[in-house]
Amino acid sequence: MNQAHRRISKAVIPAAGLGTRFLPATKATPKEMLPVVDKPAIQYVVEEAAGAGLSDVLMVTGRNKRPLEDHFDRNYELESALTKKGDAHRLAKVQESSDLATMHYVRQGDPRGLGHAVLCAAPHVGDEAFAVLLGDDLIDPRDPLLARMVEVQQTYGGSVVALMEVDPQQIHLYGCAAVEPSDDGDVVKVTGLVEKPEPAEAPSNLAIIGRYVLDPAVFDVLRETAPGRGGEIQLTDALQTLAEDEKVGGPVHGVVFRGRRYDTGDRGDYLRAIVRLACERGDLGPDFKTWLRSYVTEEM
Ligand code: G1P
């Protein structure tokens, strides 16, 4: 069956990173479990996958990541305690994360880079297009990006990356795309990709943000991809091979995202995400905003 038209149902979430930017908080707790308001960061990402119709989620984990498995599993002890108390509201919160998707786990073993993490998903994914969501990138739930990327993949086939314009001085933190326009306003054809270029060498200011919809041909390419930047097997390098030669796995397109994205792997952006999402919450927002206004006026 034509890859372009087969429904996409699997999402892969690499979550093996050590989270050193958040030490000591991440000494014994996975960085993915750090709360953004009152939900672990990773739950937003799984909710995003489920919201885009991807009900089969594979997490690529490593040592010390057991709390992730527990979070997306049932917790009968807590559930029965809350049932006895008649606390239906909190019971629903406990059950929410275990009802989101069918969860699977695989361990990465050696941390050999994002490309290697994605390759660990090959036996689970098989010969289907699939999505990859990076846990550090939090996309505001009101700005659906992944659903649009799935739609674009169904139209054009091949692979789709999420791109966002960044300050040219920041491009060295991201994979960067060379692009040509397409007939769709928010879609570009990707002609080349380079991982974390120096500003002077960057082909554009379009950065890859952590969402991908990939043709399964990427697995064979990853097997042949030599370690790149930082001595790691880079997903960007494998996608460059696909972009260079459409015969390998179809074209690579980019969806240019203009919505709200937070990098929860960065401490400053993590704090901004919490403040923004807290302000917008119906239950917490009104009181929190009143306090924030007076705090900013008095203290800043
Ligand atoms: C990874 C990718 C990079 C991408 C970024 C998005 O880098 O290698 O191409 O732009 O995610 O967040 P990392 O941030 O893991 O170093």
Side-chain angles (χ1 to χ4, degrees):
M1 194 172 173
N2 187 338
Q3 292 292 349
H5 301 295
R6 198 148 81 179
R7 210 177 67 82
I8 298 171
S9 64
K10 291 179 182 166
V12 174
I13 303 181
L18 296 176
T20 48
R21 285 190 279 181
F22 278 87
L23 282 169
T26 48
K27 184 179 172 189
T29 303
K31 64 171 176 170
E32 294 81 6
M33 290 302 293
L34 296 180
V36 176
V37 188
D38 52 7
K39 255 193 304 196
I42 193 76
Q43 189 173 331
Y44 290 89
V45 180
V46 175
E47 283 173 356
E48 186 190 336
L54 313 177
S55 55
D56 179 305
V57 173
L58 175 74
M59 274 195 198
V60 184
T61 67
R63 278 175 292 284
N64 304 325
K65 299 285 183 167
R66 286 295 291 275
L68 293 175
E69 296 187 30
D70 291 340
H71 184 71
F72 293 100
D73 198 357
R74 302 290 297 266
N75 182 332
Y76 290 107
E77 208 181 341
L78 200 49
E79 287 179 41
S80 89
L82 291 168
T83 307
K84 268 194 207 126
K85 277 197 193 168
D87 193 340
H89 179 65
R90 293 204 170 89
L91 180 64
K93 286 194 175 222
V94 168
Q95 290 172 335
E96 224 176 14
S97 53
S98 50
D99 290 342
L100 278 173
T102 309
M103 302 298 298
H104 306 270
Y105 301 89
V106 63
R107 284 200 183 205
Q108 189 177 0
D110 295 329
R112 290 167 55 203
L114 177 60
H116 177 247
V118 170
L119 192 48
C120 292
H124 179 81
V125 168
D127 189 28
E128 304 172 24
F130 64 104
V132 174
L133 294 85
L134 304 189
D136 282 348
D137 287 284
L138 206 155
I139 304 295
D140 195 293
R142 290 159 302 172
D143 300 324
L145 167 63
L146 192 59
R148 174 69 183 138
M149 293 173 72
V150 167
E151 196 176 80
V152 169
Q153 199 279 341
Q154 302 282 286
T155 307
Y156 293 88
S159 300
V160 181
V161 296
L163 299 172
M164 193 167 184
E165 282 191 48
V166 298
D167 175 344
Q169 295 310 314
Q170 300 295 309
I171 199 72
H172 68 282
L173 301 170
Y174 300 94
C176 175
V179 303
E180 283 169 4
S182 82
D183 294 336
D184 279 317
D186 62 336
V187 179
V188 288
K189 170 107 191 277
V190 174
T191 55
L193 287 159
V194 42
E195 179 68 2
K196 301 192 174 133
E198 289 308 318
E201 269 116 56
S204 74
N205 68 336
L206 286 170
I208 303 179
I209 54 172
R211 300 293 179 271
Y212 309 78
V213 178
L214 300 176
D215 186 280
V218 77
F219 294 130
D220 279 340
V221 175
L222 281 169
R223 284 186 194 99
E224 301 294 320
T225 300
R229 184 130 196 138
E232 298 189 332
I233 299 171
Q234 297 292 349
L235 181 59
T236 305
D237 294 345
L239 288 169
Q240 157 64 13
T241 305
L242 292 177
E244 215 169 41
D245 183 359
E246 283 191 22
K247 288 195 287 296
V248 179
V252 180
H253 285 87
V255 169
V256 182
F257 182 63
R258 297 195 174 85
R260 288 154 282 194
R261 166 209 176 241
Y262 315 99
D263 175 6
T264 54
D266 173 82
R267 287 175 303 168
D269 231 19
Y270 172 73
L271 293 175
R272 284 187 276 278
I274 293 176
V275 171
R276 275 178 88 145
L277 294 175
C279 284
E280 286 153 13
R281 280 266 296 257
D283 53 348
L284 299 166
D287 281 355
F288 185 63
K289 276 197 276 195
T290 307
W291 171 81
L292 191 60
R293 252 184 235 113
S294 67
Y295 179 73
V296 169
T297 326
E298 285 159 24
E299 301 284 329
M300 308 271 157

